[in-house]
Amino acid sequence: PNGSGEMWFPAGSHFVGELKNGNPVNGIYTWASGDIWQGPMLNLLKHGYGIFTFSKESGGTSIEGEFINNFPNGYCYVKETDGFIYIGDCKMSSNSLFNGKGKMIYPTGEIYNGDVKDGKWHGDGIYTDIDGIRHEGNFINGSAKGEFKVDDPGTAIGVATDLMIESAPFMMAIMASMWATKGKSTRMATKYQGARPTVKSSYAGKG
């Protein structure tokens, strides 16, 4: 049949939406697990721009963007239930969904914007801490490397090294002195180290 319809599958999956020659082509597909796809389909695979949402039991993460043959491929918007958000390039690798250029917004208010590889900060990027202090430079596998341009909107612009950014408290005290942070806490990119345990490893092309 063609047109709008509803289908049930032996494994417990359910589809409601547009049908062509008896096959789902655009609508809402729900797996027995509770995972949901809203968008176009090709041969029962997610294919085109849509939204895939994991069940609450699987974390509740949602992925909005382009899918090709069941996998995210291109721009995507990912939101996790703890408030973490990723906006940017998505393409599956063996370790991650996040590959290319993207923006990571953490529940703490920290932000990374730049090159991403295998879910980690990798390449040129800008890390902004909760005080609004920007650290611009190069990252390798989630760790700061080389010199960084540090821009504190409340004071001045300076240069830091990777040792300062990933350092012990006494190095942070040196930076506080260099840029006279006027009581603001000079937090560096040490908490997350650019590695985010998220759908980058758990997404396996559901369906």
Side-chain angles (χ1 to χ4, degrees), residues 47-73:
H47 194 81
Y49 194 96
I51 302 174
F52 178 77
T53 305
F54 285 94
S55 67
K56 290 183 179 180
E57 291 73 17
S58 297
T61 295
S62 66
I63 308 169
E64 177 178 355
E66 288 289 342
F67 286 69
I68 296 178
N69 293 327
N70 231 29
F71 293 93
N73 193 316

PDB file of all heavy atoms in Angstrom, residues 47-73:
ATOM      1  N   HIS A  47      17.642   7.194   7.066  1.00  0.00           N
ATOM      2  CA  HIS A  47      18.306   7.711   5.870  1.00  0.00           C
ATOM      3  C   HIS A  47      17.716   9.079   5.510  1.00  0.00           C
ATOM      4  O   HIS A  47      16.603   9.168   4.990  1.00  0.00           O
ATOM      5  CB  HIS A  47      18.127   6.734   4.700  1.00  0.00           C
ATOM      6  CG  HIS A  47      19.033   7.003   3.546  1.00  0.00           C
ATOM      7  ND1 HIS A  47      20.343   6.583   3.507  1.00  0.00           N
ATOM      8  CD2 HIS A  47      18.819   7.674   2.389  1.00  0.00           C
ATOM      9  CE1 HIS A  47      20.899   6.951   2.361  1.00  0.00           C
ATOM     10  NE2 HIS A  47      19.988   7.633   1.665  1.00  0.00           N
ATOM     11  N   GLY A  48      18.465  10.136   5.813  1.00  0.00           N
ATOM     12  CA  GLY A  48      18.002  11.493   5.591  1.00  0.00           C
ATOM     13  C   GLY A  48      18.069  12.290   6.885  1.00  0.00           C
ATOM     14  O   GLY A  48      18.673  11.856   7.879  1.00  0.00           O
ATOM     15  N   TYR A  49      17.455  13.453   6.884  1.00  0.00           N
ATOM     16  CA  TYR A  49      17.504  14.322   8.071  1.00  0.00           C
ATOM     17  C   TYR A  49      16.394  13.944   9.042  1.00  0.00           C
ATOM     18  O   TYR A  49      15.210  13.912   8.692  1.00  0.00           O
ATOM     19  CB  TYR A  49      17.340  15.793   7.665  1.00  0.00           C
ATOM     20  CG  TYR A  49      17.701  16.753   8.770  1.00  0.00           C
ATOM     21  CD1 TYR A  49      18.969  17.321   8.842  1.00  0.00           C
ATOM     22  CD2 TYR A  49      16.782  17.094   9.760  1.00  0.00           C
ATOM     23  CE1 TYR A  49      19.311  18.195   9.854  1.00  0.00           C
ATOM     24  CE2 TYR A  49      17.112  17.966  10.782  1.00  0.00           C
ATOM     25  CZ  TYR A  49      18.370  18.510  10.827  1.00  0.00           C
ATOM     26  OH  TYR A  49      18.700  19.374  11.843  1.00  0.00           O
ATOM     27  N   GLY A  50      16.786  13.652  10.272  1.00  0.00           N
ATOM     28  CA  GLY A  50      15.795  13.266  11.260  1.00  0.00           C
ATOM     29  C   GLY A  50      16.347  13.342  12.670  1.00  0.00           C
ATOM     30  O   GLY A  50      17.453  13.858  12.908  1.00  0.00           O
ATOM     31  N   ILE A  51      15.587  12.801  13.612  1.00  0.00           N
ATOM     32  CA  ILE A  51      15.975  12.804  15.021  1.00  0.00           C
ATOM     33  C   ILE A  51      15.910  11.380  15.560  1.00  0.00           C
ATOM     34  O   ILE A  51      14.865  10.716  15.472  1.00  0.00           O
ATOM     35  CB  ILE A  51      15.047  13.701  15.858  1.00  0.00           C
ATOM     36  CG1 ILE A  51      15.044  15.134  15.324  1.00  0.00           C
ATOM     37  CG2 ILE A  51      15.473  13.692  17.329  1.00  0.00           C
ATOM     38  CD1 ILE A  51      14.034  16.036  16.008  1.00  0.00           C
ATOM     39  N   PHE A  52      17.029  10.917  16.103  1.00  0.00           N
ATOM     40  CA  PHE A  52      17.063   9.613  16.753  1.00  0.00           C
ATOM     41  C   PHE A  52      17.210   9.839  18.250  1.00  0.00           C
ATOM     42  O   PHE A  52      18.102  10.564  18.699  1.00  0.00           O
ATOM     43  CB  PHE A  52      18.224   8.758  16.242  1.00  0.00           C
ATOM     44  CG  PHE A  52      18.328   7.425  16.932  1.00  0.00           C
ATOM     45  CD1 PHE A  52      17.460   6.397  16.608  1.00  0.00           C
ATOM     46  CD2 PHE A  52      19.285   7.191  17.902  1.00  0.00           C
ATOM     47  CE1 PHE A  52      17.533   5.164  17.245  1.00  0.00           C
ATOM     48  CE2 PHE A  52      19.381   5.963  18.536  1.00  0.00           C
ATOM     49  CZ  PHE A  52      18.498   4.952  18.207  1.00  0.00           C
ATOM     50  N   THR A  53      16.339   9.216  19.048  1.00  0.00           N
ATOM     51  CA  THR A  53      16.374   9.389  20.498  1.00  0.00           C
ATOM     52  C   THR A  53      16.484   8.028  21.178  1.00  0.00           C
ATOM     53  O   THR A  53      15.664   7.128  20.941  1.00  0.00           O
ATOM     54  CB  THR A  53      15.100  10.097  20.995  1.00  0.00           C
ATOM     55  OG1 THR A  53      14.931  11.329  20.301  1.00  0.00           O
ATOM     56  CG2 THR A  53      15.197  10.379  22.489  1.00  0.00           C
ATOM     57  N   PHE A  54      17.511   7.881  22.009  1.00  0.00           N
ATOM     58  CA  PHE A  54      17.658   6.656  22.785  1.00  0.00           C
ATOM     59  C   PHE A  54      16.571   6.596  23.855  1.00  0.00           C
ATOM     60  O   PHE A  54      16.089   7.620  24.341  1.00  0.00           O
ATOM     61  CB  PHE A  54      19.029   6.616  23.468  1.00  0.00           C
ATOM     62  CG  PHE A  54      20.175   6.314  22.547  1.00  0.00           C
ATOM     63  CD1 PHE A  54      20.899   7.337  21.964  1.00  0.00           C
ATOM     64  CD2 PHE A  54      20.548   5.006  22.274  1.00  0.00           C
ATOM     65  CE1 PHE A  54      21.957   7.070  21.122  1.00  0.00           C
ATOM     66  CE2 PHE A  54      21.610   4.728  21.437  1.00  0.00           C
ATOM     67  CZ  PHE A  54      22.317   5.761  20.865  1.00  0.00           C
ATOM     68  N   SER A  55      16.205   5.403  24.245  1.00  0.00           N
ATOM     69  CA  SER A  55      15.240   5.228  25.327  1.00  0.00           C
ATOM     70  C   SER A  55      15.820   5.767  26.635  1.00  0.00           C
ATOM     71  O   SER A  55      17.037   5.976  26.758  1.00  0.00           O
ATOM     72  CB  SER A  55      14.911   3.743  25.499  1.00  0.00           C
ATOM     73  OG  SER A  55      16.059   3.036  25.969  1.00  0.00           O
ATOM     74  N   LYS A  56      14.970   5.996  27.615  1.00  0.00           N
ATOM     75  CA  LYS A  56      15.443   6.456  28.923  1.00  0.00           C
ATOM     76  C   LYS A  56      16.411   5.451  29.526  1.00  0.00           C
ATOM     77  O   LYS A  56      17.397   5.829  30.158  1.00  0.00           O
ATOM     78  CB  LYS A  56      14.254   6.677  29.858  1.00  0.00           C
ATOM     79  CG  LYS A  56      13.377   7.866  29.485  1.00  0.00           C
ATOM     80  CD  LYS A  56      12.257   8.058  30.494  1.00  0.00           C
ATOM     81  CE  LYS A  56      11.404   9.269  30.121  1.00  0.00           C
ATOM     82  NZ  LYS A  56      10.286   9.472  31.098  1.00  0.00           N
ATOM     83  N   GLU A  57      16.143   4.177  29.318  1.00  0.00           N
ATOM     84  CA  GLU A  57      17.017   3.130  29.860  1.00  0.00           C
ATOM     85  C   GLU A  57      18.400   3.171  29.217  1.00  0.00           C
ATOM     86  O   GLU A  57      19.392   2.757  29.820  1.00  0.00           O
ATOM     87  CB  GLU A  57      16.393   1.752  29.634  1.00  0.00           C
ATOM     88  CG  GLU A  57      15.141   1.477  30.451  1.00  0.00           C
ATOM     89  CD  GLU A  57      13.918   2.237  29.951  1.00  0.00           C
ATOM     90  OE1 GLU A  57      13.935   2.720  28.793  1.00  0.00           O
ATOM     91  OE2 GLU A  57      12.942   2.350  30.717  1.00  0.00           O
ATOM     92  N   SER A  58      18.474   3.689  27.987  1.00  0.00           N
ATOM     93  CA  SER A  58      19.765   3.777  27.282  1.00  0.00           C
ATOM     94  C   SER A  58      20.392   5.166  27.398  1.00  0.00           C
ATOM     95  O   SER A  58      21.373   5.456  26.734  1.00  0.00           O
ATOM     96  CB  SER A  58      19.577   3.428  25.801  1.00  0.00           C
ATOM     97  OG  SER A  58      19.142   2.094  25.658  1.00  0.00           O
ATOM     98  N   GLY A  59      19.812   6.015  28.233  1.00  0.00           N
ATOM     99  CA  GLY A  59      20.420   7.323  28.481  1.00  0.00           C
ATOM    100  C   GLY A  59      19.614   8.509  28.004  1.00  0.00           C
ATOM    101  O   GLY A  59      19.841   9.633  28.434  1.00  0.00           O
ATOM    102  N   GLY A  60      18.700   8.296  27.051  1.00  0.00           N
ATOM    103  CA  GLY A  60      17.842   9.383  26.601  1.00  0.00           C
ATOM    104  C   GLY A  60      18.484  10.393  25.677  1.00  0.00           C
ATOM    105  O   GLY A  60      17.875  11.419  25.352  1.00  0.00           O
ATOM    106  N   THR A  61      19.701  10.125  25.218  1.00  0.00           N
ATOM    107  CA  THR A  61      20.392  11.053  24.318  1.00  0.00           C
ATOM    108  C   THR A  61      19.650  11.174  22.983  1.00  0.00           C
ATOM    109  O   THR A  61      19.158  10.177  22.457  1.00  0.00           O
ATOM    110  CB  THR A  61      21.825  10.578  24.064  1.00  0.00           C
ATOM    111  OG1 THR A  61      22.551  10.622  25.294  1.00  0.00           O
ATOM    112  CG2 THR A  61      22.530  11.454  23.029  1.00  0.00           C
ATOM    113  N   SER A  62      19.594  12.392  22.440  1.00  0.00           N
ATOM    114  CA  SER A  62      18.978  12.596  21.123  1.00  0.00           C
ATOM    115  C   SER A  62      20.017  13.096  20.134  1.00  0.00           C
ATOM    116  O   SER A  62      20.917  13.863  20.487  1.00  0.00           O
ATOM    117  CB  SER A  62      17.826  13.591  21.212  1.00  0.00           C
ATOM    118  OG  SER A  62      18.296  14.881  21.550  1.00  0.00           O
ATOM    119  N   ILE A  63      19.896  12.627  18.890  1.00  0.00           N
ATOM    120  CA  ILE A  63      20.790  13.020  17.805  1.00  0.00           C
ATOM    121  C   ILE A  63      19.937  13.533  16.659  1.00  0.00           C
ATOM    122  O   ILE A  63      19.170  12.776  16.072  1.00  0.00           O
ATOM    123  CB  ILE A  63      21.637  11.838  17.303  1.00  0.00           C
ATOM    124  CG1 ILE A  63      22.362  11.152  18.467  1.00  0.00           C
ATOM    125  CG2 ILE A  63      22.635  12.301  16.246  1.00  0.00           C
ATOM    126  CD1 ILE A  63      22.999   9.834  18.088  1.00  0.00           C
ATOM    127  N   GLU A  64      20.079  14.799  16.340  1.00  0.00           N
ATOM    128  CA  GLU A  64      19.349  15.385  15.223  1.00  0.00           C
ATOM    129  C   GLU A  64      20.331  15.732  14.117  1.00  0.00           C
ATOM    130  O   GLU A  64      21.344  16.384  14.357  1.00  0.00           O
ATOM    131  CB  GLU A  64      18.612  16.651  15.661  1.00  0.00           C
ATOM    132  CG  GLU A  64      17.873  17.355  14.517  1.00  0.00           C
ATOM    133  CD  GLU A  64      17.103  18.578  14.961  1.00  0.00           C
ATOM    134  OE1 GLU A  64      17.059  18.834  16.180  1.00  0.00           O
ATOM    135  OE2 GLU A  64      16.560  19.287  14.087  1.00  0.00           O
ATOM    136  N   GLY A  65      20.045  15.302  12.910  1.00  0.00           N
ATOM    137  CA  GLY A  65      20.934  15.621  11.804  1.00  0.00           C
ATOM    138  C   GLY A  65      20.769  14.677  10.634  1.00  0.00           C
ATOM    139  O   GLY A  65      19.783  13.963  10.514  1.00  0.00           O
ATOM    140  N   GLU A  66      21.784  14.680   9.763  1.00  0.00           N
ATOM    141  CA  GLU A  66      21.774  13.839   8.573  1.00  0.00           C
ATOM    142  C   GLU A  66      22.235  12.421   8.901  1.00  0.00           C
ATOM    143  O   GLU A  66      23.246  12.229   9.573  1.00  0.00           O
ATOM    144  CB  GLU A  66      22.694  14.431   7.504  1.00  0.00           C
ATOM    145  CG  GLU A  66      22.179  15.688   6.851  1.00  0.00           C
ATOM    146  CD  GLU A  66      20.999  15.425   5.926  1.00  0.00           C
ATOM    147  OE1 GLU A  66      20.809  14.247   5.525  1.00  0.00           O
ATOM    148  OE2 GLU A  66      20.275  16.377   5.602  1.00  0.00           O
ATOM    149  N   PHE A  67      21.488  11.454   8.404  1.00  0.00           N
ATOM    150  CA  PHE A  67      21.849  10.041   8.544  1.00  0.00           C
ATOM    151  C   PHE A  67      21.957   9.435   7.145  1.00  0.00           C
ATOM    152  O   PHE A  67      21.161   9.748   6.253  1.00  0.00           O
ATOM    153  CB  PHE A  67      20.784   9.278   9.332  1.00  0.00           C
ATOM    154  CG  PHE A  67      20.786   9.546  10.810  1.00  0.00           C
ATOM    155  CD1 PHE A  67      20.410  10.787  11.314  1.00  0.00           C
ATOM    156  CD2 PHE A  67      21.153   8.550  11.702  1.00  0.00           C
ATOM    157  CE1 PHE A  67      20.393  11.029  12.681  1.00  0.00           C
ATOM    158  CE2 PHE A  67      21.141   8.790  13.077  1.00  0.00           C
ATOM    159  CZ  PHE A  67      20.759  10.037  13.564  1.00  0.00           C
ATOM    160  N   ILE A  68      22.954   8.578   6.973  1.00  0.00           N
ATOM    161  CA  ILE A  68      23.108   7.850   5.726  1.00  0.00           C
ATOM    162  C   ILE A  68      23.255   6.370   6.062  1.00  0.00           C
ATOM    163  O   ILE A  68      24.148   5.981   6.829  1.00  0.00           O
ATOM    164  CB  ILE A  68      24.330   8.339   4.915  1.00  0.00           C
ATOM    165  CG1 ILE A  68      24.138   9.803   4.492  1.00  0.00           C
ATOM    166  CG2 ILE A  68      24.547   7.466   3.677  1.00  0.00           C
ATOM    167  CD1 ILE A  68      25.311  10.376   3.726  1.00  0.00           C
ATOM    168  N   ASN A  69      22.353   5.561   5.527  1.00  0.00           N
ATOM    169  CA  ASN A  69      22.376   4.115   5.770  1.00  0.00           C
ATOM    170  C   ASN A  69      22.498   3.775   7.256  1.00  0.00           C
ATOM    171  O   ASN A  69      23.334   2.983   7.673  1.00  0.00           O
ATOM    172  CB  ASN A  69      23.515   3.462   4.973  1.00  0.00           C
ATOM    173  CG  ASN A  69      23.273   3.523   3.484  1.00  0.00           C
ATOM    174  OD1 ASN A  69      22.136   3.462   3.020  1.00  0.00           O
ATOM    175  ND2 ASN A  69      24.347   3.659   2.714  1.00  0.00           N
ATOM    176  N   ASN A  70      21.681   4.454   8.050  1.00  0.00           N
ATOM    177  CA  ASN A  70      21.523   4.166   9.472  1.00  0.00           C
ATOM    178  C   ASN A  70      22.460   4.928  10.397  1.00  0.00           C
ATOM    179  O   ASN A  70      22.271   4.900  11.609  1.00  0.00           O
ATOM    180  CB  ASN A  70      21.670   2.664   9.760  1.00  0.00           C
ATOM    181  CG  ASN A  70      20.519   2.132  10.577  1.00  0.00           C
ATOM    182  OD1 ASN A  70      19.400   2.640  10.500  1.00  0.00           O
ATOM    183  ND2 ASN A  70      20.766   1.097  11.358  1.00  0.00           N
ATOM    184  N   PHE A  71      23.494   5.598   9.844  1.00  0.00           N
ATOM    185  CA  PHE A  71      24.473   6.249  10.708  1.00  0.00           C
ATOM    186  C   PHE A  71      24.505   7.758  10.490  1.00  0.00           C
ATOM    187  O   PHE A  71      24.355   8.242   9.368  1.00  0.00           O
ATOM    188  CB  PHE A  71      25.877   5.682  10.464  1.00  0.00           C
ATOM    189  CG  PHE A  71      26.029   4.256  10.891  1.00  0.00           C
ATOM    190  CD1 PHE A  71      25.837   3.226   9.985  1.00  0.00           C
ATOM    191  CD2 PHE A  71      26.362   3.942  12.200  1.00  0.00           C
ATOM    192  CE1 PHE A  71      25.968   1.893  10.375  1.00  0.00           C
ATOM    193  CE2 PHE A  71      26.500   2.625  12.598  1.00  0.00           C
ATOM    194  CZ  PHE A  71      26.309   1.595  11.686  1.00  0.00           C
ATOM    195  N   PRO A  72      24.738   8.537  11.562  1.00  0.00           N
ATOM    196  CA  PRO A  72      24.896   9.982  11.407  1.00  0.00           C
ATOM    197  C   PRO A  72      26.055  10.288  10.461  1.00  0.00           C
ATOM    198  O   PRO A  72      27.116   9.672  10.557  1.00  0.00           O
ATOM    199  CB  PRO A  72      25.223  10.459  12.833  1.00  0.00           C
ATOM    200  CG  PRO A  72      24.671   9.389  13.724  1.00  0.00           C
ATOM    201  CD  PRO A  72      24.871   8.112  12.967  1.00  0.00           C
ATOM    202  N   ASN A  73      25.840  11.225   9.560  1.00  0.00           N
ATOM    203  CA  ASN A  73      26.895  11.568   8.602  1.00  0.00           C
ATOM    204  C   ASN A  73      26.657  13.000   8.117  1.00  0.00           C
ATOM    205  O   ASN A  73      25.827  13.233   7.251  1.00  0.00           O
ATOM    206  CB  ASN A  73      26.886  10.587   7.425  1.00  0.00           C
ATOM    207  CG  ASN A  73      28.134  10.696   6.579  1.00  0.00           C
ATOM    208  OD1 ASN A  73      28.592  11.780   6.262  1.00  0.00           O
ATOM    209  ND2 ASN A  73      28.688   9.557   6.189  1.00  0.00           N
TER     210      ASN A  73
END
